């Protein structure tokens, strides 16, 4: 008598890609929360990149896009998102100077958009509403 074994279904590339996307999102969220809690370390960006199999520049971009999206959707306050982007800016600046490369985009543009909300533009408008939010929406549309 021959026993037939049920074949174990193999994961498809699509399933694997979806799982990778979920893992990337979780690691980016984890890093974002560490930054907001002011507990991130300089090597956390490299560790995140290694854990999800992307370059450090991609971590800066994914993290910045996540912060912009989360702020616009009310997940993070302006103050928390701005604080986080100032930390990301500092880490990115150190990284690009060490590697002697150009500023990372759209990370830099997102940092600038948050920066626009930090001061009064002397036009009587709320700088976050008038400058930061429209800039972030435009950047996210361009990087969808």
């Amino acid at each position: 008598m021959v026993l037939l074994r049920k074949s174990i279904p193999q994961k498809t590339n699509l399933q694997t890609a979806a799982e990778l996307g979920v893992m990337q999102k979780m690691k980016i969220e984890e890093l974002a929360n560490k930054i907001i809690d002011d507990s991130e370390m300089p090597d956390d960006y490299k560790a995140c990149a290694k854990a999800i199999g992307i370059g450090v520049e991609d971590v800066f971009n994914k993290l910045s896009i996540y912060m912009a999206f989360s702020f616009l959707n009310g997940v993070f306050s302006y103050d928390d998102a701005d604080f986080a982007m100032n930390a990301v800016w500092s880490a990115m600046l150190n990284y690009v100077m060490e590697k002697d490369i150009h500023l990372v985009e759209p990370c830099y543009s997102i940092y600038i958009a948050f920066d626009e909300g930090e001061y009064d533009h002397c036009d009587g408008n709320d700088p976050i509403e008038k400058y930061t939010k429209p800039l972030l929406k435009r950047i996210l549309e361009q990087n969808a």
Side-chain angles (χ1 to χ4, degrees):
M1 176 167 149
V2 176
L3 293 175
L4 297 176
R5 298 171 74 194
K6 288 185 177 181
S7 64
I8 299 171
Q10 298 293 319
K11 289 184 178 182
T12 65
N13 287 340
L14 185 58
Q15 287 173 314
T16 305
E19 289 170 359
L20 180 60
V22 168
M23 188 173 81
Q24 283 184 357
K25 186 174 186 287
M26 287 173 51
K27 287 292 188 185
I28 294 296
E29 287 174 349
E30 181 182 303
L31 182 54
N33 287 319
K34 283 181 83 172
I35 294 167
I36 289 171
D37 292 340
D38 201 18
S39 64
E40 102 277 8
M41 303 298 286
D43 287 339
D44 286 343
Y45 298 90
K46 291 176 186 172
C48 181
K50 184 176 181 181
I52 58 180
I54 62 175
V56 177
E57 297 93 340
D58 293 325
V59 169
F60 292 133
N61 285 331
K62 287 182 181 293
L63 184 57
S64 300
I65 289 169
Y66 174 76
M67 292 309 304
F69 182 82
S70 295
F71 164 66
L72 290 172
N73 287 286
V75 175
F76 295 123
S77 68
Y78 172 80
D79 289 338
D80 283 345
D82 182 56
F83 175 83
M85 285 309 303
N86 284 328
V88 172
W89 162 251
S90 178
M92 186 207 27
L93 194 56
N94 288 333
Y95 181 81
V96 300
M97 288 173 46
E98 174 187 310
K99 299 292 182 184
D100 195 25
I101 59 175
H102 293 285
L103 294 172
V104 179
E105 285 291 353
C107 181
Y108 176 66
S109 294
I110 292 170
Y111 162 76
I112 292 297
F114 276 104
D115 194 56
E116 288 296 311
E118 290 180 358
Y119 62 94
D120 184 354
H121 292 252
C122 298
D123 59 5
N125 293 301
D126 176 345
I128 297 167
E129 293 298 323
K130 174 130 189 215
Y131 300 100
T132 299
K133 286 182 177 181
L135 286 169
L136 290 175
K137 287 175 185 175
R138 189 173 326 125
I139 294 164
L140 291 179
E141 286 172 4
Q142 293 169 348
N143 291 279

